[in-house]
Amino acid sequence: ALRAKNELNEELIRMDKELNQRYETLVEQYKLSRNITEELKEQDQMRWVQEMNNIRVMVEEMLINEIMAM
């Protein structure tokens, strides 16, 4: 039972790292595709925050749907 628990913990840690990396990659890809830049952040901080919030929510929903489909 202890070995199974350790294997489960290792698998959960691996999945967590993989999902975090995928999250960061997707956020960066959407930032590029929507032209959400540091320049925009300086010029129109409110729009930048709104865009980033939209991207984060969209990416989180995508990943949740992927997990549920497993």
Side-chain angles (χ1 to χ4, degrees), residues 17-51:
K17 287 180 183 176
E18 187 177 298
L19 286 169
N20 281 316
Q21 185 175 23
R22 183 144 164 72
Y23 174 86
E24 295 299 327
T25 299
L26 288 169
V27 167
E28 289 304 313
Q29 287 174 349
Y30 279 104
K31 281 172 60 178
L32 284 172
S33 70
R34 293 178 177 214
N35 201 29
I36 310 304
T37 62
E38 290 301 309
E39 188 176 290
L40 174 64
K41 187 178 181 179
E42 291 173 15
Q43 293 173 353
D44 189 348
Q45 191 171 16
M46 192 61 113
R47 179 169 168 239
W48 184 87
V49 169
Q50 290 171 334
E51 292 285 351

Side-chain angles (χ1 to χ4, degrees), residues 15 19 60-70:
M15 287 177 65
L19 286 169
E60 286 171 7
E61 287 178 2
M62 286 173 54
L63 293 176
I64 288 169
N65 288 334
E66 286 179 17
I67 292 168
M68 296 304 217
M70 290 180 162

Side-chain angles (χ1 to χ4, degrees), residues 5-19:
K5 185 177 178 182
N6 285 338
E7 288 175 8
L8 177 61
N9 285 338
E10 288 174 13
E11 179 64 13
L12 291 173
I13 290 168
R14 186 194 63 75
M15 287 177 65
D16 181 63
K17 287 180 183 176
E18 187 177 298
L19 286 169

